[in-house]
Amino acid sequence: MSFKAPVKDMLFALQHLARLEEINRIPGFEDVNLETAQAVLQECARLNEEVIAPLNWEGDKNPSWWQDGQVFTTPGFKEAFRQYAEGGWQGLQHPAEFGGQGLPKVIGAMCTEILNAANLSFALCPLLTDGAIEALLTAGSDAQKATYIPPMIEGRWTGTMNLTEPQAGSDLSLVRARAEPQPDGTYRIFGTKIFITYGEHDMADNIVHLVLARVPGAPQGVKGISLFIVPKFLVNPDGTLGARNDVHCVSIEHKLGIKASPTCVLQYGDHGGAVGYLVGEENRGLEYMFIMMNAARYAVGLQGIALSERAYQKAVQYARERIQSRPVDGSVAGAAPIIHHPDVRRMLMTMRALTEGCRAMAAVAAAAYDAAHHHPDAAVRRQNQAFYEFMVPLVKGYSTEISHEVTSLGVQVHGGMGFIEETGAAQHYRDAKILTIYEGTTAIQANDLVGRKTARDGGAVALAVAAQVAATEQALAESGSEAAQAVRVRLQAARAAYEEVVRFIAAQAKADPVAAYAGSVPYLMLAGNLMAGWQMARALLAAEQELAAGRDADFMRAKIATARFYAEHILPRALAQRDAIVHGAGSLKAMALEAF
Amino acid sequence: MSFKAPVKDMLFALQHLARLEEINRIPGFEDVNLETAQAVLQECARLNEEVIAPLNWEGDKNPSWWQDGQVFTTPGFKEAFRQYAEGGWQGLQHPAEFGGQGLPKVIGAMCTEILNAANLSFALCPLLTDGAIEALLTAGSDAQKATYIPPMIEGRWTGTMNLTEPQAGSDLSLVRARAEPQPDGTYRIFGTKIFITYGEHDMADNIVHLVLARVPGAPQGVKGISLFIVPKFLVNPDGTLGARNDVHCVSIEHKLGIKASPTCVLQYGDHGGAVGYLVGEENRGLEYMFIMMNAARYAVGLQGIALSERAYQKAVQYARERIQSRPVDGSVAGAAPIIHHPDVRRMLMTMRALTEGCRAMAAVAAAAYDAAHHHPDAAVRRQNQAFYEFMVPLVKGYSTEISHEVTSLGVQVHGGMGFIEETGAAQHYRDAKILTIYEGTTAIQANDLVGRKTARDGGAVALAVAAQVAATEQALAESGSEAAQAVRVRLQAARAAYEEVVRFIAAQAKADPVAAYAGSVPYLMLAGNLMAGWQMARALLAAEQELAAGRDADFMRAKIATARFYAEHILPRALAQRDAIVHGAGSLKAMALEAF
């Protein structure tokens, strides 16, 4: 069950799709080039392949456990986290002034994918810490930044995100946790938070909880929620740890997957109130939390790609080893490795094409983020910001839904052995199920796509992206190769379906919101499919050029075949989705709620 | 987590789709009418809802366990199995001369669905026993029938199916277990069999293993495999139990799902040889085993429908109770039960439409089985046999693949709670994963569909079915209702896609087998989709008539909405599948095996 980080495919995406050389020209990223990227990814691969990946199945077998308020992680996790922190990986994307490396997101994202492919349960701890750092960087005071960020970047402390309560999941307007102001300017926090990932554990000295709560007299709904820092241990002025704060883990969940990652119920204020420090201004908590959440949503998309990659590698390995039946074309005389059977190849190609497509889409989105945050030209920043914001629900929603399909195929390739837990294929299938749920379900992503990202500007950004797709179709037409023509036909059909849907959604969002939102998830899937397929088409064009230049022929030929497979097997789904969206609301509305 | 058997929908399918009154006219089925069916289904529902369903989650939490060669089932299973047997349920479809009830498959199948929805792990024991009875009825000697069938029908003994060995899964030509003939006419059996469902347990006094093995000098491959009865305890001439046979359970598997069902490794002949009795003739074992397997394949299709139904009911229940967010159309002022949200309704409707569609397809197939086996007219028998054989891979392959989608949506509707094992939604998702694997993976079903069911007759049966679909389109056109027109358009498009694919597959199966078999699973999914959608279209027509006659308006309106939803949301998938099949082989072949 060895794992090999897909460094080569990542470098291809960086060079040919995410256009790393353009990021390199942005002031501050002068050192960011293909060589840097390669060195970072290879070093990242080494740590993850050798240290973190081998703990993945161990964590599933021996999950973290709770005893008397303490949580103990899987044996080996603590030491691995130490190595992760010492390697400087927690600070990869964070500013140098707080001890980080300041690398662009486009490289950081690939390291995140590698870490998650190695061990999703483990990766959640650094991922949540990244989110806490982001939130404090944006909304924290200078003193808060100085106190909390460096120890998190050093991996001595970790961070969490406390939103959910039993009655408040997707709907944060229902948050009830309360924060009582104290004469010294601090607050006392009371309430119960659930589903808190790494809310308690033994891998770090302190845990920085970022907690949503209401101050007395706050407005109803989401506009009355404030954000607080509640450290597990209070921090003395010199940075050393003081008293234990009044936040306690009262239980952890028994879950379908990501079993090594403790999912905690945290009780605040049962012994007089947990000391909390307001972040930014009162009642603006949700706005700050969204900073954290948007970074986390993109990262969850990467988790989907990561699990897909891991499942794909495992399936290929098994398909090469398992000998069963003669190939239908008689290419092997007796029983052959099952990779010779057409349907096994179809399954592997589907897994591969979806994984590479989602990775390419995520890479391009990350590059837009970097340009949006660092490019000197404000117009370029704005344009990239709009593109990135449009892509976030697709990277999150599509890549995670796809990870269900890919990890399920991964089990299927293993046949009966796939159903036996010790084989390890089933773990990826179980782990993947959380990805379409946490950090906003697919429906929540789709609401975002329909409401904020499509209807609000009348579909302008969505259609501008379609115009870029059309430009790629033109380039495919000019290529002249058979593969490029085959891809062009499918890309064009999918783009036309997408444009029809964008216009439908933009028109209906106000006129007939049930119709628009009934199509929201199919629209997300259609858009994600098109975006990934578009990037695969671009990949095909780049691979044809590389091939013509005599570079890396085997890799380039595989990329061309994979891109064509994507176009022929995956892109046509857009046609079915278009029909369901544009024609499908009537039957949904015709069903009485009582009749279900 | 209460379960309610969908008796009403089953009776609708029996009356309007499977045309129970035609079966009623077959000699021997004079008592088989809607009243009988209702009485049987209601009684079946009672036992399963009250006794067997409550053990489902218990079995997941406390799976069967192995100790010193013995297997102990989940507490409660033994008593429930006693009640099941005493109720006469094991003999429902079996001949009266051996103590059965002789009911047609079309009613028996619905009881099987109910049992599996109640408790899939439990249901596997009677299901395998049914298969053993079938095989002995067809190929056993009179003495063997008299000895083994009545105790199995009484539920005192159970049956198993021993095919798989570590090196021989889908490829039975690799079976190595050997059978040495003895002077007394018996055989001694040696070898290891794996994945033997209920190969050892404590619910019955004896276990009748049906075992594939080779006699000395047998031809290589599948034509050298014989079938043997190997009872756990030898049977005295008076039917009492004698010596313990040399077959032992050396371990059971740790699985992703169906945890209460023991999956055994059986060791034959470690202490001198297990006594075995040849069934039928030597070297014809696979042929006999296929009798068992075909019945089992159809039944696994029912398991898919069963899990889908259970997951649907659970999701609806949660969606009515969970309060979160305001509906987009403002139909409720504050936070509302999530069933008000369009995407939740879309998910529930998808689950419902797929479940009802697969149930309707299975019912129609079962009716064909009954006509094929019992109709007095040979031509009618032949026609129905061809239809039934065409449908078996679709009922098995499509309904089980669909159960992945439906149980996954079931988890999704539950949001974060779905990922917590105690909620119970995840169990159905885990259980469902085996259904596309055992009794022949989806690819094996698809091979059968392409090879024996389509290419062999040049697509004649497949296209004859399409003509029947076209007749339903005509009836829809004559209905004149808006819903019927909407369904007709989608049905016609899907049927056209299907016909194109049938011609492609029939033409390519010899000319370019890799191309034909690369499209095999998509073809199975397309054909299953069309068949289920066709039955839903027929259901719509029947419901319109009932509605016009003033019968059961709420139910009929829901049926019409569901049928239209199926047509608009599910049938269009056929277009994407057609493209992948007809145009998709090139990219698959372009990928070098080493490049994966």
Side-chain angles (χ1 to χ4, degrees), chain B residues 400-467:
Chain B
T400 60
E401 290 285 342
I402 288 303
S403 77
H404 293 182
E405 178 174 351
V406 173
T407 56
S408 179
L409 286 171
V411 175
Q412 192 71 20
V413 169
H414 286 79
M417 288 308 296
F419 202 66
I420 306 300
E421 284 288 5
E422 284 74 6
T423 305
Q427 183 189 353
H428 305 313
Y429 179 69
R430 288 187 285 99
D431 285 354
K433 199 74 198 76
I434 192 60
L435 303 181
T436 58
I437 296 171
Y438 66 13
E439 305 301 339
T441 63
T442 305
I444 297 286
Q445 308 303 321
N447 281 352
D448 180 45
L449 180 67
V450 166
R452 276 182 290 271
K453 311 293 169 64
T454 304
R456 191 146 75 184
D457 68 1
V461 167
L463 293 173
V465 176

Side-chain angles (χ1 to χ4, degrees), chain A residues 165 175-182 185-193 211-218 224-230 268-269 272-279 281-283:
Chain A
E165 301 177 11
V175 160
R176 284 187 204 146
R178 57 184 220 283
E180 296 184 355
Q182 305 297 309
T186 68
Y187 292 74
R188 290 294 174 281
I189 312 292
F190 302 88
T192 304
K193 293 287 180 180
V211 184
L212 292 183
R214 292 182 187 282
V215 297
I225 300 174
S226 305
L227 180 65
F228 299 89
I229 299 170
V230 185
Y268 287 85
V275 177
Y277 309 99
L278 181 69
V279 177
E281 296 170 28
E282 283 187 357
N283 300 329

